[in-house]
Amino acid sequence: MDADNHVEDLVNLVFEVTGRLRNGFNATASELGLPPAQALALTRLDAPAPMRDLAEWLSCDASNVTGIVDGLEQRGLVTREPSPTDRRVKFLVLTKAGERKRAELNTLTTTKATQLFKLPAGEQKQLRELLTKVLAE
Amino acid sequence: MDADNHVEDLVNLVFEVTGRLRNGFNATASELGLPPAQALALTRLDAPAPMRDLAEWLSCDASNVTGIVDGLEQRGLVTREPSPTDRRVKFLVLTKAGERKRAELNTLTTTKATQLFKLPAGEQKQLRELLTKVLAE
DNA sequence: AGCATATAGTTGAGATTCTCAACAGTTGAG
DNA sequence: CTCAACTGTTGAGAATCTCAACTATATGCT
């Protein structure tokens, strides 16, 4: 058996980074008066999308999305618009306020993450390439 | 303005990886009959620790820990033992079943994460070093 | 067309997670 | 001894999440 279990080390590192990232995100969400799940959903609403897509992005049950969108709707950030082609689906569309909130959220999130990942340009490039490879599966 | 906003790319990559990791972890937790938060807590109970420490590790309120530990206790995975030196604090100690569950959880989690991060040894080393640097503050 | 099957979203029930304010008991410093 | 700080709990209430059941709609098959 390998004396140096590098894989486990890597997993621990990734989990630590993940934890910090999550805390940072939840903090900025809270600053903007958003619960974590609603904030996360907001980041995915780049363009109008069916609720189904959101469910897949968030890897959760459709009924869960209903609740999250209810929250966003109550806050006046999104509206549910009927699809012209399929009367079952509802498109989620950001309101003006929703657009603004999304922009703020993105800015703050990127700022905070950038702060965490402040590395020399060369190493940032390395990191990007490695992660791209990981996701390429 | 920089035409190539690499930082944002990096942030997106990291968030994507984070999401997959979270989904994988929640799935294994579910396989073991554990809710996510309780599973996460279990991973930190390497050794007996005061509830306070757990609250810091999880970056959450003490009252939240009470609930999570209640769950773990109901499942027979941990017990609350009084500290011999400070009568305010309670140490969380894994039961036999708790030890087993924790071991299973760690194994499955590492396995799944390893699958995600299957890279040539050299690149894994690079990734480890980069992430270490990130965490070094 | 008619009919079976699949899909989108909602609802209700119930467990879990989380924050906040208030509290009891304990500790430790001045 | 007294006061401030700390540990864990409780209660209230919002939010998240899964599951099963349901409505309405769409699609494929014959």
Side-chain angles (χ1 to χ4, degrees), chain A residues 111-122:
Chain A
T111 299
K112 198 161 291 189
T114 299
Q115 215 168 352
L116 178 60
F117 286 94
K118 58 171 190 290
L119 291 172

Side-chain angles (χ1 to χ4, degrees), chain A residues 16-97:
Chain A
E16 179 65 26
V17 172
T18 292
R20 294 207 196 174
L21 225 46
R22 182 179 52 85
N23 290 341
F25 183 78
N26 290 351
T28 63
S30 170
E31 288 165 22
L32 295 180
L34 288 173
Q38 291 176 34
L40 188 57
L42 201 55
T43 66
R44 310 314 300 261
L45 290 177
D46 185 24
M51 301 188 59
R52 195 76 240 304
D53 289 3
L54 197 50
E56 266 171 28
W57 284 332
L58 303 179
S59 308
C60 71
D61 195 86
S63 64
N64 195 2
V65 173
T66 297
I68 291 171
V69 171
D70 283 350
L72 289 171
E73 210 172 29
Q74 278 172 19
R75 284 164 220 265
L77 303 177
V78 306
T79 58
R80 295 179 222 229
E81 309 287 352
S83 160
T85 66
D86 186 335
R87 297 206 293 190
R88 290 171 303 178
V89 342
K90 294 173 186 169
F91 272 84
L92 301 176
V93 183
L94 291 185
T95 62
K96 283 278 183 247

Side-chain angles (χ1 to χ4, degrees), chain B residues 78-117:
Chain B
V78 306
T79 57
R80 294 180 223 229
E81 309 288 351
S83 160
T85 66
D86 186 333
R87 297 204 294 192
R88 288 172 302 181
V89 340
K90 293 175 187 167
F91 272 85
L92 300 175
V93 182
L94 292 184
T95 62
K96 282 277 184 247
E99 298 277 14
R100 274 197 304 273
K101 197 69 102 175
R102 195 182 108 86
E104 287 179 80
L105 182 60
N106 275 354
T107 301
L108 292 177
T109 298
T110 300
T111 299
K112 198 161 289 187
T114 299
Q115 215 168 350
L116 179 60
F117 286 93

